[in-house]
Amino acid sequence: MPPNPSAPTPAYGAPWLPITSTGHPVSNPSTTPSTPEDTTMAPPRHLSDAADAVREFNHVSRPTGPDWQYPGHSYDALGNLSYLVGMLEQAIDQSTRPVMRTYEHGRVRIDGGGDADQAIRDLVAARDDAMRAAAALTAAVQRMHNATSPMGLDTEGLPEFADDEDDNR
């Protein structure tokens, strides 16, 4: 069945895009990648990949083992975590840019006829809170990393770390 041009536009989606018979906006190259290869480079996909990597870390770091048992392992992990959270503030800000650009052009529409100006004020306040929280998290994780820097394993009396007979001094 062809789309009904006189049917109201659904409350979701972009009102300036044509609507299909299913009620969904028709994608176009400027708003939606056209090939599966393009979707791997879309900015949200990178955040999804980062989330998957953190999830995997959480899974594999539960038990201890040969590659996950000494203070140096924590130091390395905290250094990488510090690097990751240090980029959150910028990622939070940049995640809102498509909305802000759309709003600046007067094109944000809110489901149910809501107030776009109020929604943007709420978004900006939440974004600013999140950016402050990200900065605080970055500082705390950097302190953790710094605290583990001088830590090591006391190997005295541990047979697996006994010096070779030729190496006694």
Side-chain angles (χ1 to χ4, degrees), residues 57-112:
F57 169 82
N58 290 344
H59 176 73
V60 301
S61 64
R62 281 181 177 228
T64 58
D67 294 329
W68 187 243
Q69 60 184 339
Y70 302 121
H73 298 144
S74 288
Y75 175 78
D76 291 344
L78 289 168
N80 290 327
L81 188 58
S82 176
Y83 178 65
L84 174 69
V85 300
M87 293 182 284
L88 287 177
E89 190 174 359
Q90 179 180 356
I92 290 165
D93 179 49
Q94 289 179 198
S95 292
T96 64
R97 287 184 181 175
V99 171
M100 298 309 293
R101 285 186 187 122
T102 303
Y103 177 73
E104 289 164 3
H105 289 94
R107 302 304 291 177
V108 169
R109 187 171 81 184
I110 306 301
D111 291 350

Side-chain angles (χ1 to χ4, degrees), residues 14-159:
W16 57 91
L17 291 178
I19 304 298
T20 68
S21 61
T22 62
H24 292 89
V26 175
S27 65
N28 66 41
S30 67
T31 60
T32 304
S34 59
T35 64
E37 294 79 22
D38 292 339
T39 62
T40 62
M41 296 308 295
R45 181 65 202 161
H46 294 288
L47 292 177
S48 178
D49 291 345
D52 288 343
V54 171
R55 186 177 312 118
E56 181 64 17
F57 169 82
N58 290 344
H59 176 73
V60 301
S61 64
R62 281 181 177 228
T64 58
D67 294 329
W68 187 243
Q69 60 184 339
Y70 302 121
H73 298 144
S74 288
Y75 175 78
D76 291 344
L78 289 168
N80 290 327
L81 188 58
S82 176
Y83 178 65
L84 174 69
V85 300
M87 293 182 284
L88 287 177
E89 190 174 359
Q90 179 180 356
I92 290 165
D93 179 49
Q94 289 179 198
S95 292
T96 64
R97 287 184 181 175
V99 171
M100 298 309 293
R101 285 186 187 122
T102 303
Y103 177 73
E104 289 164 3
H105 289 94
R107 302 304 291 177
V108 169
R109 187 171 81 184
I110 306 301
D111 291 350
D115 181 1
D117 294 332
Q118 183 59 51
I120 292 297
R121 283 191 295 273
D122 292 346
L123 173 64
V124 168
R127 178 201 61 200
D128 293 348
D129 288 348
M131 289 172 63
R132 281 189 294 276
L137 177 62
T138 297
V141 174
Q142 286 172 345
R143 287 193 328 267
M144 293 169 60
H145 184 234
N146 291 340
T148 59
S149 178
M151 296 179 184
L153 174 67
D154 179 0
T155 61
E156 188 174 331
L158 296 176

